[in-house]
């Protein structure tokens, strides 16, 4: 997929036939016409962010509602298991950098985590604005990577409540520099049936000050695995994307 990708609302591609037109929203249209300088007749990719996509040609270059004439359709199936990144809030937008890069390497869902040692906090009067910023970051990164599925932004978790993510159909890996077993050794040692039974494979990344003992204990007691990435300590914005990439390789998706 080398053509530029534009997002439309979920469901907007349903029922369309060859020759039908789909209109982009004002923000996507303005970017296509003013920033990318697209012209009539150029081929683009249109996706609803949930796996449905279509290729087509630009038929109307209005910067308010650019039209694309549909030629072909396709769909991207949901991954099994889904790769979920729990990203602790971090200062300097390092948390956003982490989820953006993780999107490029294939994460399927993201959960903001206000860890006990997070410097940044989810303020009640600004939480909607903060989550909107995260959602925009995911969409932008997905378009850059030409992903027809935008990672889902799930509800934030706080402190030891993160242990509630552990469930019978969920595997949770906690990235912990003090862990004995490596991520690669743990994942490689699982039976295929163990992975097939999982709906989500969750990777937990702590804040700058690390995950607190209370949070680690809560996660391990709930059934999470403690794993290390290597000999060196990584930034909060680096650990998640590298872990996602490594798991992609271990699952033979790359």
């Amino acid at each position: 997929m080398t053509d530029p990708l534009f997002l439309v609302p979920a469901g907007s591609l349903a029922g369309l036939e060859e020759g039908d037109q789909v209109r982009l929203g004002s923000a996507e249209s303005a970017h296509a016409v003013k920033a990318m300088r697209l012209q009539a007749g150029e081929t683009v990719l249109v996706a609803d962010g949930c796996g449905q996509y279509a290729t087509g040609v630009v038929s109307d270059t209005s910067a308010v509602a650019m039209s694309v004439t549909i030629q072909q359709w396709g769909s991207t199936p949901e991954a099994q298991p889904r790769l979920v990144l729990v990203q602790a809030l971090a200062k300097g937008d390092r948390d956003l950098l982490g989820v953006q890069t993780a999107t490029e390497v294939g994460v399927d869902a993201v959960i903001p985590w206000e860890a006990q040692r997070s410097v940044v906090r989810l303020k009640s009067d600004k939480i909607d604005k903060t989550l909107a910023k995260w959602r925009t970051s995911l969409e932008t990164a997905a378009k850059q990577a030409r992903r027809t599925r935008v990672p889902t932004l799930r509800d934030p978790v706080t402190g030891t409540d993160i242990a509630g993510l552990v469930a019978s159909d969920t595997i949770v890996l906690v990235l912990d520099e003090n862990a004995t077993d490596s991520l690669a050794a743990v994942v490689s040692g699982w039976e295929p049936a163990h992975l097939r039974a999982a709906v989500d494979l969750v990777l937990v990344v702590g804040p700058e000050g690390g995950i607190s003992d209370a949070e680690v204990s809560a996660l391990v007691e709930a059934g999470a695995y403690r794993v290390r990435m290597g000999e060196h300590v990584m930034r909060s914005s680096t650990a998640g994307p590298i872990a996602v990439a490594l798991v992609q390789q271990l699952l033979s998706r790359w």
Side-chain angles (χ1 to χ4, degrees):
M1 297 181 183
T2 57
D3 299 318
L5 184 148
F6 298 95
L7 292 175
V8 294
S12 11
L13 299 179
L16 293 181
E17 299 180 354
E18 182 179 353
D20 287 345
Q21 291 189 339
V22 59
R23 288 184 177 274
L24 304 185
S26 57
E28 294 286 76
S29 297
H31 179 68
V33 175
K34 296 180 180 179
M36 301 188 69
R37 304 291 184 183
L38 290 181
Q39 301 294 320
E42 294 191 68
T43 304
V44 297
L45 185 66
V46 180
D48 68 355
C50 300
Q52 299 298 314
Y53 64 88
T55 55
V57 295
V58 177
S59 52
D60 177 5
T61 54
S62 167
V64 176
M66 190 179 82
S67 296
V68 177
T69 301
I70 300 301
Q71 294 180 319
Q72 294 180 318
W73 300 264
S75 63
T76 304
E78 189 172 50
Q80 178 70 32
R82 292 182 295 247
L83 297 186
V84 182
L85 174 62
V86 175
Q87 176 66 58
L89 303 180
K91 61 183 180 181
D93 281 346
R94 291 194 179 278
D95 43 16
L96 290 179
L97 177 59
V99 300
Q100 286 170 343
T101 308
T103 296
E104 294 178 23
V105 295
V107 77
D108 300 300
V110 170
I111 300 175
W113 178 30
E114 186 181 298
Q116 291 179 340
R117 293 177 178 169
S118 289
V119 176
V120 177
R121 295 289 165 178
L122 286 172
K123 299 179 181 179
S124 58
D125 60 334
K126 295 183 179 180
I127 189 168
D128 289 342
K129 183 178 180 180
T130 298
L131 294 180
K133 187 176 180 180
W134 278 59
R135 192 170 293 106
T136 297
S137 295
L138 293 173
E139 291 176 353
T140 301
K143 288 191 292 184
Q144 176 65 37
R146 294 187 179 88
R147 289 187 56 178
T148 60
R149 281 188 176 273
V150 177
T152 303
L153 180 62
R154 298 185 181 175
D155 292 338
V157 292
T158 304
T160 56
D161 289 347
I162 190 175
L165 298 177
V166 183
S168 59
D169 60 356
T170 302
I171 298 172
V172 178
L173 299 173
V174 185
L175 305 188
D176 181 0
E177 60 183 284
N178 297 314
T180 302
D181 299 320
S182 72
L183 185 155
V186 170
V187 176
S188 298
W190 288 334
E191 294 292 333
H194 185 53
L195 283 173
R196 286 198 299 270
V199 174
D200 288 340
L201 196 163
V202 181
L203 298 163
V204 179
V205 176
E208 299 93 328
I211 303 174
S212 72
D213 291 341
E215 290 165 336
V216 171
S217 295
L219 283 161
V220 172
E221 289 174 8
Y225 300 83
R226 292 173 64 194
V227 297
R228 59 178 175 80
M229 291 285 289
E231 298 180 3
H232 309 294
V233 179
M234 299 180 188
R235 289 179 181 267
S236 181
S237 59
T238 306
I242 291 180
V244 172
L246 180 56
V247 171
Q248 292 275 55
Q249 181 67 39
L250 294 170
L251 295 180
S252 300
R253 293 179 178 175
W254 283 13

